[in-house]
């Protein structure tokens, strides 16, 4: 069982940066893969980034690779999404998620059992 609480969203100018945080409860945090997804109004929720619980492998959508960085601090039970060089098309509600996933399905929404409430990121042009 994992409970997730997100923070760090806001309004930022294009080219700027934000760091999202997702605090997880429980002693099983380190056993879950952690993912970030986003959803813009009228659009489908899409994969952004993920990190496996074992091996320290990270995964990124092509649209954010090189700009976003996912990391986790198991001691603090927190996962982060550092977002740099933000673009207006990054505007969306960002959700963190936890689940048990292998490499093949780590980008798949259905993989994740637990979700945060979402935090709004708005990038102005």
């Amino acid at each position: 069982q994992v409970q997730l609480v997100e923070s760090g969203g806001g309004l930022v100018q294009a080219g700027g940066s934000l760091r999202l945080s997702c605090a997880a409860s429980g002693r099983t945090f380190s056993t879950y893969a952690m993912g970030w997804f986003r959803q813009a109004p009228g659009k489908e929720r899409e994969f952004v980034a993920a990190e496996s619980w074992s091996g320290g492998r990270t995964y990124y959508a092509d649209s954010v690779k090189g700009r976003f960085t996912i990391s986790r601090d198991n001691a603090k039970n927190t996962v982060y999404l550092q977002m740099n060089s933000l673009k207006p098309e990054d505007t969306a509600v960002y959700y963190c998620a936890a689940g048990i996933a292998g490499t093949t399905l780590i980008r798949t929404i259905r993989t994740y059992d637990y979700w945060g409430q979402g935090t709004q990121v708005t990038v102005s042009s």
Side-chain angles (χ1 to χ4, degrees):
Q1 184 69 33
V2 177
Q3 303 293 326
L4 306 174
V5 180
E6 298 184 30
S7 62
L11 176 65
V12 66
Q13 189 177 33
S17 299
L18 283 174
R19 188 176 77 157
L20 306 183
S21 299
C22 178
S25 66
R27 293 186 290 270
T28 60
F29 172 76
S30 63
T31 70
Y32 288 89
M34 299 297 299
W36 287 95
F37 295 79
R38 66 187 183 187
Q39 187 169 21
K43 297 183 179 180
E44 297 292 325
R45 189 170 300 185
E46 65 176 355
F47 170 79
V48 176
E51 184 171 0
S52 63
W53 75 269
S54 61
R57 300 291 185 180
T58 57
Y59 308 82
Y60 297 94
D62 289 342
S63 59
V64 306
K65 192 172 185 178
R67 299 188 297 120
F68 291 10
T69 303
I70 187 172
S71 62
R72 67 196 298 168
D73 186 336
N74 287 337
K76 296 182 178 180
N77 289 347
T78 301
V79 63
Y80 304 96
L81 184 68
Q82 178 67 48
M83 305 185 294
N84 298 325
S85 302
L86 283 162
K87 305 174 181 179
E89 53 262 44
D90 295 318
T91 296
V93 176
Y94 283 71
Y95 300 88
C96 65
I100 300 174
T103 301
T104 302
L105 299 177
I106 202 165
R107 297 177 176 86
T108 302
I109 291 174
R110 291 180 298 171
T111 293
Y112 296 88
D113 300 307
Y114 308 102
W115 293 82
Q117 79 286 353
T119 185
Q120 177 71 49
V121 172
T122 302
V123 184
S124 62
S125 59

